[in-house]
Amino acid sequence: MRNALILLVVVALIIVALGAANSEVAFDFDMVLGTWSAVSLLWVAVVAAVVLLVVGLVAAWLAQTDASRTRRKLEAELHATYERLRAVEARLPEEPQAAQEPPEPASEPEPAESPDAAPPAEAVPDVPGEGAAPPAS
């Protein structure tokens, strides 16, 4: 929410700065119910910035609310899954621990084969279309 607020304030300030840079521009604002004459572009920019800020904050709040609702739902589902898992584990018979045997001594590593050595024929997969006979049908 804090990042959204910072971004919205920066964008609103840019809009107001652009309106202030063009504040000498005045125009008539025609609406259904009447006309405002000689409206400064600065005031239009201020109103647009405020509307942007309010709409952005509402949207950020709604997104945060939806995210927290989804998180609570997932946490409840996870909790139910853990409860079912613990119930199943409780029904399983206890398995005796395997006797600990000392590890076998490490054997000597085999010498590495040269990179130009071809793999044995058994390791080459039989790929149809590459010289292999098609299967009999």
Side-chain angles (χ1 to χ4, degrees):
M1 183 79 160
R2 181 177 172 215
N3 291 339
L5 178 65
I6 291 170
L7 180 64
L8 288 169
V9 168
V10 167
V11 171
L13 288 176
I14 290 171
I15 291 172
V16 170
L18 289 173
N22 297 311
S23 62
E24 67 274 351
V25 175
F27 57 94
D28 294 337
F29 191 67
D30 293 326
M31 298 185 308
V32 175
L33 299 175
T35 301
W36 285 347
S37 298
V39 176
S40 173
L41 192 58
L42 173 63
W43 292 110
V44 173
V46 168
V47 169
V50 168
V51 168
L52 174 83
L53 193 63
V54 169
V55 169
L57 287 176
V58 168
W61 178 74
L62 288 174
Q64 186 177 16
T65 303
D66 184 47
S68 65
R69 185 179 329 123
T70 303
R71 185 180 62 241
R72 282 193 304 269
K73 181 180 173 184
L74 288 174
E75 286 173 352
E77 185 178 333
L78 182 63
H79 182 69
T81 302
Y82 276 139
E83 286 177 351
R84 288 193 311 260
L85 177 65
R86 298 297 178 228
V88 169
E89 284 179 346
R91 286 186 272 161
L92 289 177
E94 292 292 325
E95 295 181 17
Q97 295 285 337
Q100 295 289 336
E101 295 181 17
E104 295 181 18
S107 62
E108 293 285 325
E110 295 181 19
E113 295 182 24
S114 63
D116 56 343
E122 300 86 27
V124 177
D126 189 27
V127 179
E130 292 186 7
S137 52

